[in-house]
Amino acid sequence: MNAEKRTEIFRRLSAQNPKPTTELEYSTPFELLVAVLLSAQATDVSVNAATRRLFPVANTPQAIVELGSDGLEPFIRTIGLYRTKAKHLVQACALLIRDHQGMVPESREALQALPGVGRKTANVVLNTAFGWETIAVDTHIFRVSNRSRIAPGKTVEEVEKRLERLVPAQFKRDAHHWLILHGRYVCKARKPECWRCLINDLCEFPRKTLPPD
């Protein structure tokens, strides 16, 4: 895919949705960190349902530590891998208190040092909470990047590096959100809805789908 096509793709996505953001519900960087940590192998809908119960009770590292894993689990029981996530979240909160005065650090290295926080989670927090031009490659972004040929790659890190290099500078801040939303609602895994795709004529996917009868 050439640079002109790629620029036009992001221009259209930007025109359609000028101020994209995550569908996870949060009001502070810490709440965002919690939501993203819980969202691994879970839907945003299920995470939002859980955090609507959790955050009114505990939305600070100290409050989570005081709940402990046993106290936290009932709030997130409906989310996959909830026991492991509860353990990691309590441990992460203890480290935030010990090493960062209870604040979410604006550092990829410091974030990734927290239990349960990988590169993708760190990138989401840096992008959404702090405005960094990071691109957190999840399954949606990986699929859209490869299927459309915007930034093909065999691994998540390869796609991330290519997107960071190839996305035009004026679109880099919000590219993460545009690609996730496009993959979630249009360029779906099993049945991409090419007939209503905003970038159908620019996408290089060879097996475009037709509208259902």
Side-chain angles (χ1 to χ4, degrees), residues 105-174:
E106 190 178 341
S107 158
R108 179 182 282 113
E109 291 72 23
L111 286 167
Q112 288 187 238
L114 301 173
V117 177
R119 185 177 180 86
K120 184 186 77 171
T121 296
N123 278 343
V124 172
V125 172
L126 292 171
N127 175 271
T128 306
F130 299 115
W132 286 32
E133 293 181 347
T134 57
I135 300 176
V137 178
D138 69 349
T139 56
H140 296 301
I141 294 182
F142 187 80
R143 178 176 67 255
V144 172
S145 297
N146 276 287
R147 185 182 275 168
S148 68
R149 311 305 290 173
I150 290 173
K154 294 182 179 179
T155 67
V156 167
E157 285 202 13
E158 188 176 342
V159 170
E160 179 187 333
K161 288 177 181 177
R162 285 191 175 176
L163 285 170
E164 288 181 345
R165 178 168 54 88
L166 296 172
V167 173
Q170 67 267 38
F171 301 119
K172 199 168 290 185
R173 169 69 177 81
D174 293 318

Side-chain angles (χ1 to χ4, degrees), residues 84-105:
T84 299
K85 290 176 181 178
K87 177 183 177 182
H88 285 164
L89 182 53
V90 171
Q91 291 173 340
C93 288
L95 290 180
L96 288 176
I97 294 168
R98 188 191 74 184
D99 298 337
H100 304 286
Q101 296 77 49
M103 304 296 290
V104 176

Side-chain angles (χ1 to χ4, degrees), residues 177-195:
H177 298 298
W178 286 319
L179 294 175
I180 283 180
L181 294 171
H182 189 67
R184 183 172 291 165
Y185 295 113
V186 180
C187 195
K188 300 175 182 178
R190 293 186 180 180
K191 294 183 179 180
E193 299 180 3
C194 302
W195 64 89

